[in-house]
Amino acid sequence: MNIIIKLLGTGISLLAGFVGTKVVDTVWEKATGNKPPKGHDDDVPTTLRSALTFALISASVSAVIQVLANRGTQRAVTRFAQTQDVV
């Protein structure tokens, strides 16, 4: 059962990362009026400042999501271990 909780935590982390990316992209587009700089060939040229700003914001959101997902998984593992001892 412990492996199931870890797999569930990984799935939640991936889903949260996907949602976080979409939120950052949407907020960036609403705030600046431009598409987020992704580095694709068909992108319009962006300034170094906007690319670095986007990268910092994306990395910050990603780090927060990773920490929250890890803490949630650890809480679930701990809770499962405690309830397993009671049974």
Side-chain angles (χ1 to χ4, degrees):
M1 189 68 147
N2 196 7
I3 197 104
I4 293 173
I5 291 174
K6 288 183 180 182
L7 288 174
L8 184 62
T10 301
I12 290 172
S13 178
L14 289 172
L15 181 64
F18 178 75
V19 170
T21 300
K22 293 298 180 186
V23 168
V24 169
D25 289 350
T26 303
V27 169
W28 180 268
E29 197 165 338
K30 296 285 183 187
T32 64
N34 300 324
K35 289 189 176 186
K38 295 285 188 165
H40 300 278
D41 294 333
D42 58 347
D43 277 351
V44 265
T46 58
T47 63
L48 181 60
R49 178 182 290 170
S50 66
L52 288 175
T53 303
F54 182 77
L56 288 171
I57 292 169
S58 296
S60 299
V61 170
S62 175
V64 168
I65 288 171
Q66 183 180 13
V67 166
L68 292 176
N70 286 341
R71 286 183 182 180
T73 303
Q74 288 302 322
R75 272 194 229 126
V77 168
T78 303
R79 207 174 295 144
F80 175 73
Q82 288 174 350
T83 56
Q84 196 174 27
D85 290 341
V86 172
V87 174

